[in-house]
Structure formats: C-alpha cells, structure tokens
C-alpha cells in the first residue's frame, strides 16, 4: 500500500509541477517579456494569443494523462493488492 501511495504522490506531484511551470512560465512572460509575447506570428496573430489557449489546453491534457494513468495502472494495482489481502 505504501508503494501505491508513493506512486500516486509521485505522479500527482510531477503533473502538478508541470502545470505550475507552464502557468508561471506564461505569467512570467506576461509580466517580464511583453515584447516576446507581442511578437507577431501572422497579421493579427501574436504569440500571446497562441500561448494563452495552449496553457489551458495543457491543463486539460495533464488532467487527461492523470485520469488515464489512474484508470489503467493505479486501479489495476489497487485491485491486485486487495485480492492479495
């Protein structure tokens, strides 16, 4: 059970740190790198307009990754542990 709890904590912490890095990286660019975010990729399309939705999409992808991991690997390991007990 300790190994299961440790693996869940490791995955959850890794995904949380990834989301924190993405979010605060974007916010850091927003605060200190406005010329970078203001770079025009196409007429009427700046880098900020592209990165903003990517931050939101990345949060959904990280959540989807966690749910997939929990439903496939974690639940299977919990079930096998309960059967052994």
């Amino acid at each position: 059970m300790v190994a299961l709890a440790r693996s869940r904590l490791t995955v959850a912490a890794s995904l949380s740190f990834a989301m924190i890095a993405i979010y605060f990286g974007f916010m850091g660019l927003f605060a200190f790198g406005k010329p970078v975010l203001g770079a025009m990729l196409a007429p009427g399309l700046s880098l900020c307009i592209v990165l903003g939705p990517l931050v939101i999409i990345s949060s959904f992808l990280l959540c989807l990754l966690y749910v997939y991991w929990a439903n496939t690997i974690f639940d299977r390991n919990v079930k096998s542990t309960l059967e052994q007990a």
Side-chain angles (χ1 to χ4, degrees), residues 26 37 39-42 44-57:
F26 180 71
L37 288 179
M40 298 301 286
L41 301 175
L45 180 66
S46 68
L47 182 60
C48 186
I49 293 174
V50 174
L51 289 180
L54 285 178
V55 170
I56 297 168
I57 291 169

Side-chain angles (χ1 to χ4, degrees), residues 20-34 37 48 52 55:
I20 288 169
I22 291 168
Y23 179 76
F24 282 104
F26 180 71
M27 287 295 120
L29 269 177
F30 199 74
F32 303 111
K34 287 187 180 185
L37 288 179
C48 186
V55 170

Side-chain angles (χ1 to χ4, degrees), residues 14-77:
S14 300
L15 294 175
S16 296
F17 286 131
M19 190 64 236
I20 288 169
I22 291 168
Y23 179 76
F24 282 104
F26 180 71
M27 287 295 120
L29 269 177
F30 199 74
F32 303 111
K34 287 187 180 185
V36 174
L37 288 179
M40 298 301 286
L41 301 175
L45 180 66
S46 68
L47 182 60
C48 186
I49 293 174
V50 174
L51 289 180
L54 285 178
V55 170
I56 297 168
I57 291 169
S58 68
S59 70
F60 284 111
L61 291 177
L62 290 174
C63 184
L64 182 67
L65 183 65
Y66 179 79
V67 168
Y68 177 77
W69 174 83
N71 287 336
T72 57
I73 297 171
F74 186 73
D75 284 350
R76 184 180 59 216
N77 290 340

